Amino acid sequence: MNKDLITIKDLTQREIEGLFVLTAKIKAHPSAYNCKLKGKTLGLIFQKSSNRTRVSFEVGMYQLGGYAIYLGPDDIKLGVREATKDIAQTLSRYLDGIVARTYSHQDIIDLAGNATIPIINGLSDLLHPCQAMADVFTVREKFKRLKGKKLAYIGDGNNVLNSLLYCAAKTGLSVSIATPAGYEPNSDILQEAKEMAKATGAHIELCSSKEEAVADADVLYTDVWTSMGQEAERDKRLKDFEGFQIDAALLSKAKPKALVMHCLPAHRGEEITDEVIDGPQSVVFDQAENRLHVQKAIMLELLK
Ligand code: CP
Ligand code: NVA
């Protein structure tokens, strides 16, 4: 693997599969890994709020025998109190790795380019690779395979979808997307994913309706309509996304036992109903749990 995990685009299919195999081992036998990162320290530079990413990385590091330091929005003030490249060089002298959650994706690239230690993207405005790794691992765990399975993504073509497209395309999971006009995923990433999918047989498509996307789907996936940093657009987005909610009626149009996924946090009553997210087909908390196991595998690979 490369020094950093900034985007799943940089991982080969073999590396992704290797991480999934390691994840399954760590999940099954966590105590076998409890000294693997003894003496190592991970920094968590977060410009935005977080529950899952922060807690799963901190706990994961602890479970591997290492230590984590949380550096929140008011601590080092990335690019404000001092230049990002100075922060990257300084922290490289203290830490063994950094997870960064930023507004601008360029900040993650700048950290990685100036740090001698691994930089893990913990979410940017463009990508959320650790989420996508846990998502595809969850689909693989539930169905025992990815090829021939179809995930329907309904909602905003955002950072979560962009990374999911890379991970699905590289592992053979098909993705059908339905978004309101103007909220499609990044067009370069969609094109790249379609190219990558040629090697794995995945089918990646942008559909003209949500019904088309969910037909024969094995998984329904959604994320918030207003991501962190877009709060000023919330009223407009609520109007623009009307009709794109995953509710019981839409779920009934997928395969009978289709799984429901959401990266969380959910805005209940907006992109998903309580009935669906709390219902028997929802695997959202298994998915959230898998963040921990997948990220332990990522840390082992990058920090060992
Ligand atoms: N899914 C996810 O990344 O959650 P947090 O924003 O709580 O970290
Ligand atoms: N798209 C959401 C994901 C949160 C985990 C956001 O960026 O806020």
Side-chain angles (χ1 to χ4, degrees):
M1 272 174 71
N2 290 347
K3 173 175 84 71
D4 311 296
L5 176 53
I6 297 177
T7 166
I8 293 173
K9 181 180 167 179
D10 294 342
L11 296 177
T12 63
Q13 187 187 1
R14 213 185 150 87
E15 285 168 338
I16 296 171
E17 184 55 25
L19 284 167
F20 286 166
V21 169
L22 181 58
T23 300
K25 285 186 189 162
I26 295 170
K27 187 172 179 176
H29 305 287
S31 59
Y33 297 86
N34 61 12
C35 292
K36 297 280 184 196
L37 294 183
K38 193 166 185 291
K40 306 263 184 192
T41 308
L42 180 75
L44 297 158
I45 301 178
F46 277 47
Q47 291 186 324
K48 295 171 175 167
S49 306
S50 172
N51 170 6
R52 280 143 292 272
T53 308
R54 176 187 175 176
V55 178
S56 57
F57 267 110
E58 284 201 29
V59 169
M61 194 59 186
Y62 175 74
Q63 291 179 355
L64 294 170
Y67 185 73
I69 298 180
Y70 177 73
L71 300 162
D74 289 329
D75 293 317
I76 58 174
K77 293 190 181 288
L78 195 71
V80 177
R81 185 166 175 267
E82 59 186 316
T84 300
K85 62 180 180 181
D86 293 344
I87 290 178
Q89 292 183 88
T90 304
L91 291 180
S92 294
R93 305 292 179 104
Y94 304 142
L95 300 170
D96 300 287
I98 289 173
V99 177
R101 168 167 286 196
T102 62
Y103 284 96
S104 158
H105 186 67
Q106 188 61 43
D107 283 339
I108 308 244
I109 293 173
D110 291 346
L111 277 173
N114 291 284
T116 54
I117 56 174
I119 304 296
I120 299 171
N121 180 352
L123 180 148
S124 67
D125 56 358
L126 187 68
L127 297 169
H128 197 1
C130 297
Q131 181 67 52
M133 287 294 289
D135 296 341
V136 176
F137 177 81
T138 305
V139 176
R140 181 187 181 274
E141 187 179 48
K142 299 289 178 191
F143 293 110
K144 312 290 174 223
R145 66 191 169 95
L146 294 167
K147 294 206 170 143
K149 293 292 164 190
K150 172 180 164 179
L151 180 151
Y153 183 98
I154 311 298
D156 189 18
N158 60 17
N159 47 5
V160 166
L161 176 59
N162 289 336
S163 282
L164 194 55
L165 283 173
Y166 280 141
C167 200
K170 290 213 173 201
T171 55
L173 173 65
S174 292
V175 182
S176 297
I177 305 156
T179 73
Y183 294 97
E184 295 84 2
N186 179 288
S187 57
D188 293 338
I189 293 177
L190 181 63
Q191 220 31 59
E192 285 166 347
K194 284 184 178 181
E195 277 304 309
M196 291 167 185
K198 287 181 184 163
T200 59
H203 185 65
I204 307 287
E205 60 171 359
L206 197 53
C207 300
S208 47
S209 73
K210 60 184 186 207
E211 287 78 14
E212 186 190 340
V214 303
D216 287 322
D218 299 283
V219 181
L220 259 56
Y221 195 120
T222 191
D223 182 18
V224 293
W225 294 339
T226 306
S227 284
M228 292 180 280
Q230 298 173 334
E231 290 77 7
E233 299 169 26
R234 185 174 145 80
D235 290 345
K236 175 171 172 29
R237 283 174 169 265
L238 280 176
K239 286 198 196 86
D240 292 348
F241 281 88
E242 224 168 87
F244 282 83
Q245 183 184 62
I246 296 190
D247 57 12
L250 189 64
L251 180 56
S252 73
K253 297 193 170 94
K255 280 197 182 153
K257 288 184 178 163
L259 302 178
V260 173
M261 297 179 73
H262 190 308
C263 60
L264 303 175
H267 292 171
R268 288 167 173 259
E270 292 181 20
E271 74 276 2
I272 195 161
T273 60
D274 285 328
E275 185 185 9
V276 170
I277 198 168
D278 295 329
Q281 287 164 260
S282 170
V283 296
V284 299
F285 298 110
D286 293 336
Q287 182 186 356
E289 180 190 328
N290 282 334
R291 293 289 304 277
L292 171 68
H293 308 300
V294 161
Q295 290 162 194
K296 283 168 78 177
I298 292 169
M299 288 190 283
L300 276 181
E301 276 303 314
L302 296 183
L303 270 64
K304 70 184 175 206

Coordinates of all heavy atoms in Angstrom, one line a residue, residues 123-178:
L123 N -12.6 11.9 6.2 CA -13.7 12.6 5.5 C -13.2 14.0 5.1 O -12.7 14.8 5.9 CB -14.9 12.8 6.4 CG -16.2 13.5 5.8 CD1 -17.5 12.9 6.3 CD2 -16.1 15.0 6.0
S124 N -13.5 14.3 3.8 CA -13.3 15.6 3.3 C -14.5 16.0 2.5 O -15.4 15.2 2.4 CB -12.0 15.6 2.3 OG -12.3 14.9 1.2
D125 N -14.5 17.2 1.9 CA -15.7 17.5 1.1 C -15.9 16.6 -0.1 O -17.0 16.5 -0.6 CB -15.7 19.0 0.7 CG -14.4 19.4 0.0 OD1 -13.5 18.5 -0.2 OD2 -14.3 20.6 -0.5
L126 N -14.8 16.0 -0.5 CA -14.9 15.2 -1.7 C -15.0 13.7 -1.4 O -15.7 13.0 -2.2 CB -13.6 15.4 -2.5 CG -13.5 14.7 -3.9 CD1 -14.5 15.4 -4.9 CD2 -12.1 14.8 -4.5
L127 N -14.4 13.2 -0.4 CA -14.3 11.7 -0.2 C -14.4 11.3 1.3 O -14.2 12.1 2.2 CB -12.9 11.2 -0.7 CG -12.7 11.4 -2.2 CD1 -11.2 11.1 -2.5 CD2 -13.6 10.5 -3.1
H128 N -14.8 10.0 1.5 CA -14.9 9.4 2.8 C -14.5 7.9 2.7 O -15.3 7.0 2.8 CB -16.3 9.6 3.4 CG -16.4 9.4 4.8 ND1 -15.3 9.1 5.6 CD2 -17.5 9.4 5.7 CE1 -15.8 9.0 6.9 NE2 -17.1 9.2 6.9
P129 N -13.2 7.7 2.4 CA -12.8 6.3 2.1 C -12.9 5.3 3.2 O -13.3 4.1 2.9 CB -11.3 6.5 1.7 CG -10.8 7.8 2.3 CD -12.0 8.7 2.3
C130 N -12.7 5.7 4.4 CA -12.8 4.7 5.5 C -14.3 4.2 5.6 O -14.6 3.1 5.9 CB -12.4 5.3 6.8 SG -10.6 5.7 6.8
Q131 N -15.2 5.2 5.4 CA -16.6 4.8 5.4 C -16.9 3.8 4.3 O -17.6 2.8 4.5 CB -17.5 6.1 5.1 CG -19.0 5.8 5.2 CD -19.5 5.4 6.5 OE1 -19.2 6.1 7.5 NE2 -20.2 4.3 6.6
A132 N -16.5 4.1 3.1 CA -16.7 3.2 2.0 C -16.1 1.8 2.2 O -16.7 0.8 1.8 CB -16.2 3.8 0.7
M133 N -15.0 1.7 2.8 CA -14.3 0.4 3.0 C -15.2 -0.4 4.0 O -15.4 -1.6 3.8 CB -12.9 0.6 3.6 CG -11.9 1.1 2.6 SD -11.5 -0.1 1.4 CE -10.6 -1.3 2.3
A134 N -15.7 0.3 5.1 CA -16.6 -0.4 6.0 C -17.9 -0.8 5.3 O -18.5 -1.8 5.6 CB -16.9 0.5 7.2
D135 N -18.4 0.1 4.5 CA -19.7 -0.2 3.8 C -19.6 -1.5 2.9 O -20.4 -2.3 3.0 CB -20.1 1.0 2.9 CG -20.4 2.2 3.7 OD1 -20.6 2.1 4.9 OD2 -20.4 3.3 3.1
V136 N -18.5 -1.5 2.1 CA -18.4 -2.6 1.2 C -18.1 -3.9 1.9 O -18.5 -5.0 1.6 CB -17.4 -2.3 0.0 CG1 -17.2 -3.5 -0.9 CG2 -18.0 -1.1 -0.8
F137 N -17.3 -3.7 3.0 CA -17.0 -4.9 3.9 C -18.3 -5.4 4.4 O -18.5 -6.7 4.5 CB -16.0 -4.5 5.0 CG -15.8 -5.6 6.0 CD1 -14.9 -6.6 5.7 CD2 -16.5 -5.7 7.2 CE1 -14.6 -7.7 6.5 CE2 -16.3 -6.8 8.0 CZ -15.4 -7.8 7.7
T138 N -19.2 -4.5 4.8 CA -20.5 -5.0 5.4 C -21.3 -5.7 4.4 O -21.9 -6.8 4.7 CB -21.3 -3.7 5.9 OG1 -20.4 -3.0 6.9 CG2 -22.6 -4.1 6.6
V139 N -21.4 -5.3 3.1 CA -22.1 -6.0 2.1 C -21.5 -7.3 1.9 O -22.2 -8.3 1.8 CB -22.1 -5.1 0.8 CG1 -22.8 -5.9 -0.3 CG2 -22.8 -3.8 1.0
R140 N -20.2 -7.4 1.8 CA -19.4 -8.6 1.6 C -19.7 -9.6 2.7 O -19.9 -10.8 2.5 CB -17.9 -8.3 1.5 CG -17.0 -9.5 1.3 CD -15.6 -8.9 1.5 NE -14.5 -9.8 1.3 CZ -14.0 -10.6 2.2 NH1 -14.5 -10.5 3.4 NH2 -13.0 -11.4 2.0
E141 N -19.8 -9.1 4.0 CA -20.0 -9.9 5.2 C -21.4 -10.5 5.1 O -21.7 -11.7 5.5 CB -19.8 -9.0 6.4 CG -19.9 -9.7 7.7 CD -19.6 -8.7 8.8 OE1 -20.3 -7.6 8.8 OE2 -18.8 -8.9 9.7
K142 N -22.4 -9.7 4.7 CA -23.8 -10.1 4.8 C -24.1 -11.1 3.6 O -24.9 -12.0 3.8 CB -24.7 -8.9 4.6 CG -24.6 -7.9 5.8 CD -25.1 -8.4 7.1 CE -25.0 -7.4 8.2 NZ -25.3 -7.9 9.5
F143 N -23.5 -10.9 2.5 CA -23.9 -11.7 1.3 C -22.8 -12.7 0.9 O -23.0 -13.5 0.0 CB -24.2 -10.8 0.1 CG -25.4 -10.0 0.2 CD1 -25.3 -8.6 0.3 CD2 -26.7 -10.6 0.2 CE1 -26.4 -7.8 0.4 CE2 -27.8 -9.8 0.3 CZ -27.7 -8.4 0.4
K144 N -21.7 -12.7 1.6 CA -20.5 -13.5 1.3 C -19.9 -13.3 0.0 O -19.0 -14.0 -0.4 CB -20.9 -15.0 1.4 CG -21.7 -15.4 2.7 CD -20.8 -15.3 3.9 CE -21.7 -15.6 5.2 NZ -21.4 -14.6 6.3
R145 N -20.4 -12.4 -0.8 CA -19.8 -12.0 -2.1 C -20.2 -10.6 -2.5 O -21.2 -10.1 -1.9 CB -20.1 -13.0 -3.1 CG -21.6 -13.1 -3.5 CD -21.9 -14.3 -4.4 NE -23.3 -14.4 -4.5 CZ -24.0 -13.9 -5.5 NH1 -23.4 -13.3 -6.5 NH2 -25.3 -14.1 -5.6
L146 N -19.5 -10.1 -3.4 CA -19.9 -8.7 -3.9 C -20.3 -8.8 -5.4 O -21.3 -8.1 -5.8 CB -18.7 -7.8 -3.8 CG -18.3 -7.5 -2.3 CD1 -16.9 -6.8 -2.3 CD2 -19.3 -6.6 -1.7
K147 N -19.7 -9.6 -6.1 CA -20.0 -9.7 -7.6 C -21.5 -10.2 -7.7 O -21.9 -11.1 -7.0 CB -19.1 -10.7 -8.3 CG -17.7 -10.1 -8.3 CD -16.8 -10.6 -9.4 CE -15.5 -9.7 -9.3 NZ -14.3 -10.3 -9.7
G148 N -22.2 -9.5 -8.6 CA -23.6 -9.9 -8.9 C -24.6 -9.2 -7.9 O -25.8 -9.4 -8.1
K149 N -24.0 -8.5 -6.9 CA -24.9 -7.8 -6.0 C -25.1 -6.3 -6.4 O -24.1 -5.7 -7.0 CB -24.3 -7.8 -4.6 CG -24.3 -9.2 -4.0 CD -25.7 -9.7 -3.7 CE -25.8 -11.2 -3.5 NZ -27.2 -11.7 -3.5
K150 N -26.2 -5.8 -6.2 CA -26.5 -4.4 -6.6 C -26.9 -3.5 -5.4 O -27.8 -3.9 -4.7 CB -27.7 -4.5 -7.6 CG -28.2 -3.1 -8.0 CD -29.4 -3.1 -9.0 CE -30.1 -1.8 -9.1 NZ -31.2 -1.8 -10.1
L151 N -26.2 -2.4 -5.3 CA -26.5 -1.4 -4.3 C -27.2 -0.2 -5.0 O -26.7 0.3 -6.0 CB -25.2 -1.0 -3.6 CG -25.3 0.0 -2.5 CD1 -24.2 -0.2 -1.5 CD2 -25.2 1.5 -3.0
A152 N -28.3 0.2 -4.5 CA -29.0 1.4 -5.0 C -28.7 2.6 -4.1 O -29.0 2.5 -2.9 CB -30.5 1.2 -5.2
Y153 N -28.1 3.6 -4.6 CA -27.9 4.8 -3.7 C -28.9 5.9 -4.1 O -28.9 6.3 -5.3 CB -26.4 5.3 -4.0 CG -26.1 6.5 -3.1 CD1 -25.4 6.3 -1.9 CD2 -26.5 7.8 -3.4 CE1 -25.1 7.4 -1.1 CE2 -26.2 8.9 -2.6 CZ -25.5 8.7 -1.4 OH -25.2 9.7 -0.6
I154 N -29.7 6.3 -3.1 CA -30.7 7.3 -3.3 C -30.4 8.5 -2.5 O -30.2 8.5 -1.3 CB -32.1 6.8 -2.8 CG1 -32.4 5.3 -3.4 CG2 -33.2 7.7 -3.2 CD1 -32.4 5.2 -4.9
G155 N -30.3 9.7 -3.2 CA -30.0 10.9 -2.4 C -29.0 11.8 -3.0 O -28.9 12.0 -4.2
D156 N -28.1 12.3 -2.1 CA -27.1 13.3 -2.5 C -25.8 12.6 -3.1 O -25.3 11.8 -2.4 CB -26.8 14.2 -1.3 CG -25.9 15.4 -1.7 OD1 -25.9 15.8 -2.9 OD2 -25.3 16.0 -0.8
G157 N -25.4 13.1 -4.2 CA -24.1 12.6 -4.8 C -22.9 13.2 -4.1 O -22.2 14.0 -4.7
N158 N -22.7 12.8 -2.9 CA -21.7 13.5 -2.0 C -20.4 12.7 -1.8 O -20.2 11.7 -2.5 CB -22.4 13.9 -0.7 CG -22.9 12.7 0.1 OD1 -22.5 11.5 -0.2 ND2 -23.7 12.9 1.0
N159 N -19.6 13.2 -0.8 CA -18.4 12.5 -0.5 C -18.5 11.0 -0.2 O -17.7 10.2 -0.6 CB -17.8 13.2 0.8 CG -18.7 13.5 1.9 OD1 -19.9 13.1 1.9 ND2 -18.3 14.2 2.9
V160 N -19.6 10.7 0.5 CA -19.9 9.2 0.8 C -20.1 8.4 -0.5 O -19.5 7.4 -0.7 CB -21.0 9.1 1.8 CG1 -21.5 7.7 1.9 CG2 -20.6 9.6 3.2
L161 N -20.9 9.0 -1.4 CA -21.1 8.2 -2.6 C -19.9 8.2 -3.5 O -19.6 7.1 -4.1 CB -22.3 8.9 -3.4 CG -22.5 8.3 -4.8 CD1 -22.9 6.8 -4.7 CD2 -23.6 9.0 -5.5
N162 N -19.1 9.3 -3.5 CA -17.9 9.3 -4.4 C -17.0 8.1 -4.0 O -16.5 7.4 -4.8 CB -17.2 10.6 -4.2 CG -17.9 11.8 -4.9 OD1 -18.7 11.5 -5.8 ND2 -17.7 13.0 -4.5
S163 N -16.7 8.0 -2.6 CA -15.8 6.9 -2.2 C -16.5 5.5 -2.4 O -15.8 4.6 -2.8 CB -15.5 7.1 -0.7 OG -14.5 8.1 -0.6
L164 N -17.8 5.5 -2.2 CA -18.5 4.2 -2.4 C -18.3 3.7 -3.9 O -18.2 2.5 -4.2 CB -19.9 4.4 -2.0 CG -20.8 3.2 -1.8 CD1 -20.2 2.2 -0.8 CD2 -22.2 3.6 -1.3
L165 N -18.4 4.7 -4.8 CA -18.3 4.3 -6.2 C -16.9 3.7 -6.5 O -16.8 2.7 -7.2 CB -18.5 5.6 -7.1 CG -19.9 6.1 -7.2 CD1 -20.0 7.4 -7.9 CD2 -20.7 5.0 -8.0
Y166 N -15.8 4.3 -6.0 CA -14.5 3.8 -6.2 C -14.4 2.3 -5.6 O -13.9 1.4 -6.2 CB -13.4 4.6 -5.5 CG -13.0 5.9 -6.2 CD1 -12.7 7.0 -5.5 CD2 -12.8 5.9 -7.6 CE1 -12.3 8.2 -6.1 CE2 -12.3 7.0 -8.2 CZ -12.1 8.2 -7.5 OH -11.7 9.3 -8.1
C167 N -14.9 2.2 -4.3 CA -14.7 0.9 -3.7 C -15.6 -0.2 -4.3 O -15.1 -1.3 -4.5 CB -15.1 1.1 -2.2 SG -14.4 -0.3 -1.2
A168 N -16.8 0.2 -4.7 CA -17.7 -0.8 -5.4 C -17.1 -1.2 -6.7 O -17.0 -2.4 -7.0 CB -19.1 -0.2 -5.5
A169 N -16.7 -0.2 -7.5 CA -16.2 -0.5 -8.8 C -15.0 -1.4 -8.8 O -14.8 -2.3 -9.6 CB -15.9 0.8 -9.5
K170 N -14.1 -1.2 -7.8 CA -12.9 -2.0 -7.7 C -13.1 -3.4 -7.1 O -12.2 -4.2 -7.2 CB -11.9 -1.2 -6.8 CG -11.3 0.0 -7.4 CD -9.9 0.2 -7.0 CE -9.3 1.4 -7.8 NZ -7.9 1.4 -7.8
T171 N -14.3 -3.6 -6.5 CA -14.5 -4.9 -5.9 C -15.6 -5.7 -6.6 O -15.9 -6.8 -6.2 CB -14.9 -4.7 -4.4 OG1 -16.0 -3.9 -4.3 CG2 -13.7 -4.2 -3.6
G172 N -16.3 -5.1 -7.6 CA -17.3 -5.9 -8.4 C -18.7 -5.7 -7.9 O -19.6 -6.3 -8.4
L173 N -18.9 -4.8 -6.9 CA -20.3 -4.5 -6.5 C -20.9 -3.4 -7.4 O -20.4 -2.4 -7.7 CB -20.2 -3.9 -5.0 CG -21.5 -3.4 -4.4 CD1 -22.5 -4.5 -4.2 CD2 -21.2 -2.7 -3.0
S174 N -22.1 -3.7 -7.9 CA -22.8 -2.8 -8.8 C -23.5 -1.7 -8.1 O -24.0 -1.9 -7.0 CB -23.8 -3.5 -9.7 OG -23.1 -4.4 -10.6
V175 N -23.5 -0.5 -8.6 CA -24.2 0.6 -8.0 C -25.1 1.4 -9.0 O -24.6 1.7 -10.0 CB -23.1 1.6 -7.4 CG1 -23.9 2.8 -6.7 CG2 -22.2 1.0 -6.5
S176 N -26.3 1.5 -8.6 CA -27.3 2.3 -9.4 C -27.7 3.5 -8.5 O -28.0 3.4 -7.4 CB -28.5 1.5 -9.7 OG -28.2 0.4 -10.5
I177 N -27.6 4.7 -9.2 CA -27.7 5.9 -8.4 C -28.9 6.7 -8.9 O -29.2 6.8 -10.1 CB -26.4 6.8 -8.7 CG1 -25.1 6.1 -8.4 CG2 -26.5 8.1 -7.9 CD1 -23.9 6.6 -9.1
A178 N -29.6 7.3 -7.9 CA -30.7 8.2 -8.2 C -30.5 9.5 -7.3 O -30.6 9.3 -6.1 CB -32.1 7.6 -8.0

